[in-house]
Amino acid sequence: MLIGQLSIKTGLSRDTIRFYEKQGLIPIGIKNNEFNTYKDYSNETLEKLIIIKKMKGFGLTLNEISDVLDLLDSNSASCENVSEKMFEKVKLIDHKIKELRAMKRLITNGIKSCSTQETESSNCPLIFEDIN
């Protein structure tokens, strides 16, 4: 199938498909003939793109996705192996949530202290807090 058909079936843009191809996530399409630059993509490529899109929805990075695709290619994407990778992602997400909550508290407290301070400067003291 041509890239336009692949794009329609996956909901991914042509540029995204080409990017995944350049990154080695999907095989390079076979050129139809020497007179045009059209590439023909297999159903296997379609399936991989659907898997990539699903894993992107899980928040996996391209490197993490590449690891999972390697498991698929070696026919070792067992529930145990995939679950292990997903568990690692969940731990990273939990860590990021803690960092974001701390950041939110810091900003919220800064806004509260800023709104209660009267200053002669036109610049917000929240920005300059802890500099001097």
Side-chain angles (χ1 to χ4, degrees):
M1 84 187 71
L2 300 177
I3 196 167
Q5 295 165 307
L6 206 53
S7 177
I8 291 167
K9 288 183 178 189
T10 61
L12 299 170
S13 73
R14 293 171 190 218
D15 288 338
T16 299
I17 294 168
R18 288 185 190 106
F19 177 75
Y20 291 159
E21 190 177 45
K22 287 178 186 171
Q23 296 300 309
L25 295 174
I26 60 171
I28 296 173
I30 301 166
K31 290 188 179 181
N32 284 339
N33 64 44
E34 62 184 84
F35 300 111
N36 66 39
T37 58
Y38 297 139
K39 292 180 185 174
D40 190 28
Y41 295 91
S42 67
N43 283 329
E44 178 186 329
T45 301
L46 172 63
E47 290 173 8
K48 274 194 174 185
L49 286 170
I50 291 168
I51 291 167
I52 292 169
K53 186 176 179 180
K54 182 175 187 176
M55 289 189 289
K56 285 291 290 173
F58 291 153
L60 272 66
T61 64
L62 292 183
N63 287 335
E64 292 166 333
I65 291 170
S66 180
D67 291 345
V68 174
L69 292 176
D70 287 344
L71 289 174
L72 283 170
D73 289 342
S74 65
N75 202 27
S76 56
S78 66
C79 283
E80 182 180 349
N81 291 340
V82 174
S83 294
E84 183 180 318
K85 293 217 174 277
M86 292 301 179
F87 182 70
E88 290 300 316
K89 187 63 178 182
V90 168
K91 287 184 355 186
L92 286 171
I93 291 169
D94 286 340
H95 179 71
K96 189 67 176 175
I97 288 170
K98 287 179 186 176
E99 287 179 340
L100 289 170
R101 284 186 176 142
M103 189 185 311
K104 180 181 176 184
R105 273 193 305 276
L106 183 65
I107 292 170
T108 304
N109 291 339
I111 291 169
K112 286 178 187 174
S113 68
C114 186
S115 65
T116 60
Q117 289 183 0
E118 299 225 0
T119 179
E120 296 174 12
S121 170
S122 60
N123 292 322
C124 178
L126 173 64
I127 297 170
F128 296 101
E129 194 174 70
D130 298 330
I131 290 180
N132 297 327

